[in-house]
Amino acid sequence: MENLYLPQIAVIKKIAQETPDVKLFTIEFKDPEKFTAYKPGQFFMLSVFGHGEAPISITSSPTQKGSIEFAVKCVGSLTAELHKMKIDDEIGLRGPYGNGFSADSLKGFDLLFVGGGIGLAPLRSLINYVLEKKADFGKITILYGARTYDDMVFKEELKAGWRKSAQVITTVDMGENLCDGNVGLVTTLLPKAKVNTKTTKAIVCGPPVMIPFVLKDLTILGFADDHIISTLERHMKCGVCKCNHCNIGPKYVCLDGPVFTCAEMKLMTREF
Amino acid sequence: MMLEVKAIDKEKIKPWLTAMLEETKVIAPEQSHGDLFYEFIDSADEAFLGPYEAPPWMSIKRFFFPQMDKILKYKRGPGGIQVEPVVSEMKRVIFGVRPCDNAALSFCDKWNTADGLNDIYYLKRREQTTIVTIACNQPGVNCFCVYADAGPFAKENFDIQLIDFGDQYLVEVGSEKGKALTEGKYQHLFKAAPSDADKKRFELLLESKGMFHTYVDQRSVTEKLKKDEVPDMLWENMAKRCQNCGGCSYVCPCCICFNVVDKEVSEDEGFRIRTWDNCTFAGYTNMAGGHNPRGEKKDRFMRRYYHKLYYEFDKFGERGCVGCGRCTTTCPGKIDMARVTRSILTRGT
């Protein structure tokens, strides 16, 4: 019988400092045979031995073979330890878990990505995937808001890479935006994007305070509930629906999510 | 499903336990300073065989899902980190299990194999355990298993069930594992079941069912929760009395939420440990970064009852409560399963 809780050993191959508190880790399994295919929107349980395990979403596209990228913000004890680690240090990985984004259900649609802060990390996996298979999708728009310009993750891609084949608009909550000048909340970008709400699917991820406002504005713009997709996060101990921590109503973020449509989220009327 | 039915004289119980102890570990109800607990016994004399008035203080949960359980061991060496599972190997018999605890085990079996995902730590222990239940002829004052469809006699999932017939026990054998405890070197202890066993069993069951003091209508509460018909004010008032002590889930045989922590024993070695957790603790849903989706006590309290009576029922067709009444005995705020469900039905509109 397979042991659900046994992590595979993986090695940190590259570390890039994205922002003052976000690092991008490129990870390879120590035994390349253990590499399993994943979907954008899925997550791994990442172990820092001696400090525990936490769910971390995948930020690389599944088309990138052999290695996996995680963009991790230093917010707690485990992530602080991870930030202290160096190239060739070993961590543990279990997964991939979760339903992930269904790329098939997005085919033929224009796509509107709305990201806030570190919430761009899981979206980047899907963005890079659809940009590589551009013929399958319509017009691609990426809206991104960060607290300040310094807090913007994936600046290279936002400024140059993605702009080659997608419309990219960024904003910052405060200070100067050296990317494209906009200052304000990410919701102020929605009217600027000028998308056709009937032919577009919106994919949203950001801090818990941002998501409800974006969903509301998208609905006002005319998006149907099943055309709005979001990915949620919860405190999680197992990733396999045993520890019971991550439920929102009868749904479990680990197994039924983390990707939900706005129609599904509207049924989650209460936070318990 | 019953494989066979036999009988055993009461004076043969101790020789039976003694014979068991020769080849396996035995856990049985044992009195400690006047309270009853399931404990490992070294001799048949330590087992307390009744008459029972209430189930032992703690359920048998901890023998399958220990309060602290080392699940992995990791070691740093020259070749990198090695991780290996820590799986316990121990054959044992749990003797004198109450039907509520047996029913809770069926619930835990479902949870630990749900979605095609099997928890080997639980299942390994389960596989190595033989369950001998003892039917309840005298339910305790807080017991309500009869309304949770879990007792007072066990219906399934036991290896052996004993039913008190006065000077002898009726022995119902429910599995091959149970059969092994009545055959071979144990065979001489048993005799044929009395000819009027069926009639007597029926009468005893009826008599026991009539002795419950606590009535809990879980079915109606589930319906009310599904329709969201319980006023927020009632939840708020009940939640105010919650002391966040965690006692309810500590004693609950169906509470199997867990937390996972790493513990270093030296610079290069340590264990991954899973421990019991409680959904009424604020830290249960607190995320790194400070966002807590259930920061309010009321939400956590509601979640406990929604989870047990609605979500789990939705998922398995079984509720996370077997009516053992332990939370009633334990809760200092008197907001236990029996009282909360009663409040919902009488005061909730």
Side-chain angles (χ1 to χ4, degrees):
Chain A
M1 209 186 291
E2 189 203 353
N3 188 336
L4 297 173
Y5 308 115
L6 185 67
Q8 298 300 330
I9 302 296
V11 186
I12 299 174
K13 287 293 175 186
K14 227 164 90 186
I15 303 172
Q17 188 87 41
E18 284 289 324
T19 76
D21 59 3
V22 175
K23 282 184 178 179
L24 179 68
F25 296 89
T26 307
I27 313 265
E28 283 176 20
F29 281 95
K30 200 169 177 184
D31 173 3
E33 299 268 298
K34 300 291 180 198
F35 183 88
T36 34
Y38 59 84
K39 291 203 293 186
Q42 285 192 302
F43 64 92
F44 275 91
M45 292 299 292
L46 189 150
S47 290
V48 178
F49 293 101
H51 301 277
E53 210 175 21
I56 308 283
S57 53
I58 303 161
T59 191
S60 50
S61 162
T63 48
Q64 169 185 325
K65 300 283 180 217
S67 65
I68 307 170
E69 287 170 350
F70 298 98
V72 182
K73 185 169 172 170
C74 181
V75 279
S77 57
L78 182 130
T79 47
E81 287 305 319
L82 188 62
H83 271 239
K84 285 184 205 158
M85 296 182 97
K86 299 177 202 68
I87 287 172
D88 287 334
D89 280 352
E90 293 181 346
I91 58 163
L93 287 183
R94 289 194 290 129
Y97 296 127
N99 56 357
F101 295 107
S102 158
D104 281 345
S105 75
L106 302 175
K107 275 186 184 155
F109 283 94
D110 295 338
L111 301 180
L112 170 68
F113 291 93
V114 187
I118 189 68
L120 191 59
L123 298 184
R124 177 176 176 260
S125 175
L126 184 62
I127 291 171
N128 282 338
Y129 178 81
V130 299
L131 289 181
E132 268 190 55
K133 302 187 180 285
K134 190 129 197 335
D136 291 342
F137 307 92
K139 188 182 145 205
I140 293 165
T141 307
I142 300 162
L143 308 181
Y144 177 63
R147 214 155 21 124
T148 67
Y149 176 73
D150 278 348
D151 289 313
M152 266 190 195
V153 290
F154 312 124
K155 284 196 191 73
E156 290 303 309
E157 284 157 308
L158 284 166
K159 280 180 173 170
W162 292 342
R163 286 186 193 246
K164 284 181 205 143
S165 32
Q167 179 194 7
V168 182
I169 316 176
T170 69
T171 183
V172 295
D173 293 354
M174 57 185 114
E176 201 180 356
N177 181 357
L178 301 174
C179 193
D180 46 23
N182 298 305
V183 178
L185 297 175
V186 74
T187 42
T188 61
L189 301 180
L190 289 171
K192 294 184 187 167
K194 296 202 170 53
V195 292
N196 179 344
T197 56
K198 300 293 167 235
T199 58
T200 305
K201 285 201 173 186
I203 302 114
V204 183
C205 186
V209 60
M210 176 198 111
I211 292 179
F213 289 104
V214 173
L215 298 191
K216 200 173 127 207
D217 283 17
L218 288 171
T219 309
I220 293 169
L221 281 176
F223 276 88
D225 285 347
D226 57 351
H227 278 202
I228 307 173
I229 300 152
S230 186
T231 163
L232 303 178
E233 63 168 350
R234 279 295 177 275
H235 185 105
M236 214 179 270
K237 284 295 173 187
C238 71
V240 288
C241 212
K242 301 290 175 212
C243 79
N244 259 319
H245 283 253
C246 68
N247 80 300
I248 306 177
K251 299 279 182 202
Y252 286 84
V253 172
C254 65
L255 212 64
D256 303 310
V259 176
F260 295 100
T261 65
C262 186
E264 288 170 313
M265 286 169 65
K266 276 198 173 157
L267 298 175
M268 303 172 182
T269 46
R270 284 168 153 168
E271 274 290 2
F272 52 79
Chain B
M1 262 296 287
M2 219 83 72
L3 292 183
E4 54 186 332
V5 181
K6 300 180 182 184
I8 186 169
D9 286 327
K10 279 197 170 165
E11 71 228 31
K12 298 272 175 62
I13 292 289
K14 278 190 182 170
W16 189 27
L17 282 170
T18 307
M20 279 185 220
L21 278 162
E22 282 166 14
E23 60 178 29
T24 176
K25 294 267 181 195
V26 178
I27 296 155
E30 188 184 344
Q31 272 191 316
S32 167
H33 304 283
D35 288 326
L36 204 57
F37 294 94
Y38 293 108
E39 290 289 353
F40 283 97
I41 56 165
D42 296 319
S43 88
D45 289 331
E46 291 171 18
F48 178 79
L49 299 169
Y52 294 113
E53 273 165 9
W57 265 95
M58 297 291 292
S59 76
I60 54 172
K61 167 170 85 171
R62 72 180 172 102
F63 299 107
F64 302 93
F65 173 51
Q67 195 184 355
M68 283 185 96
D69 193 14
K70 288 175 183 163
I71 57 171
L72 301 173
K73 183 182 178 164
Y74 62 87
K75 212 172 174 172
R76 288 186 194 89
I81 298 177
Q82 300 279 339
V83 193
E84 54 187 58
V86 183
V87 181
S88 76
E89 300 278 346
M90 188 210 280
K91 273 183 93 83
R92 65 262 171 101
V93 173
I94 311 187
F95 190 91
V97 174
R98 309 317 282 293
C100 52
D101 287 337
N102 186 60
L105 217 48
S106 308
F107 174 83
C108 295
D109 289 352
K110 288 205 174 111
W111 185 258
N112 283 302
T113 53
D115 311 301
L117 298 163
N118 297 319
D119 186 304
I120 64 157
Y121 297 95
Y122 174 87
L123 294 174
K124 246 274 108 62
R125 291 188 174 98
R126 189 75 176 86
E127 195 183 285
Q128 297 179 84
T129 310
T130 307
I131 301 284
V132 182
T133 65
I134 189 154
C136 287
N137 289 354
Q138 277 179 307
V141 66
N142 293 329
C143 293
F144 58 94
C145 65
V146 66
Y147 304 112
D149 212 18
F153 289 13
K155 285 183 190 151
E156 54 183 8
N157 214 24
F158 55 82
D159 297 307
I160 290 179
Q161 169 156 253
L162 304 178
I163 301 171
D164 194 337
F165 268 25
D167 52 356
Q168 60 181 337
Y169 287 104
L170 188 71
V171 180
E172 297 180 336
V173 180
S175 74
E176 290 297 331
K177 263 198 278 185
K179 214 170 157 190
L181 273 188
T182 62
E183 282 176 345
K185 71 169 190 174
Y186 303 110
Q187 192 157 4
H188 70 280
L189 297 166
F190 295 88
K191 58 181 192 179
S195 55
D196 64 342
D198 280 357
K199 185 168 166 277
K200 188 138 194 221
R201 186 192 194 279
F202 179 74
E203 282 169 5
L204 284 171
L205 178 58
L206 216 57
E207 197 182 312
S208 178
K209 279 183 171 177
M211 289 167 73
F212 282 84
H213 302 279
T214 305
Y215 174 67
V216 172
D217 181 3
Q218 292 186 336
R219 207 164 303 167
S220 303
V221 175
T222 303
E223 286 309 309
K224 270 192 176 289
L225 296 187
K226 268 189 183 171
K227 293 184 198 144
D228 210 358
E229 282 181 351
V230 186
D232 272 12
M233 195 51 120
L234 180 59
W235 286 118
E236 216 150 282
N237 285 338
M238 291 192 292
K240 269 184 200 155
R241 283 149 53 189
C242 177
Q243 309 295 312
N244 290 337
C245 70
C248 50
S249 69
Y250 187 82
V251 296
C252 179
C254 297
C255 275
I256 45 175
C257 294
F258 60 81
N259 188 19
V260 180
V261 289
D262 281 7
K263 189 149 183 67
E264 307 241 270
V265 290
S266 74
E267 217 166 87
D268 296 322
E269 233 179 288
F271 291 96
R272 179 153 294 169
I273 296 172
R274 89 169 155 188
T275 66
W276 292 358
D277 206 345
N278 182 303
C279 57
T280 61
F281 291 162
Y284 188 82
T285 45
N286 197 20
M287 286 192 276
H291 178 63
N292 192 346
R294 288 197 286 273
E296 297 293 320
K297 185 149 70 170
K298 175 181 145 247
D299 287 343
R300 300 196 293 274
F301 182 74
M302 286 176 80
R303 189 267 182 191
R304 180 169 174 80
Y305 286 93
Y306 269 78
H307 187 235
K308 284 192 169 296
L309 299 176
Y310 169 12
Y311 306 151
E312 288 178 339
F313 183 70
D314 226 33
K315 191 161 174 163
F316 307 114
E318 260 181 54
R319 295 177 184 83
C321 171
V322 290
C324 68
R326 289 186 178 97
C327 54
T328 309
T329 318
T330 304
C331 181
K334 303 211 181 301
I335 35 165
D336 48 85
M337 181 60 79
R339 292 186 180 99
V340 166
T341 49
R342 207 177 305 141
S343 294
I344 287 173
L345 292 177
T346 54
R347 274 178 271 166
T349 45

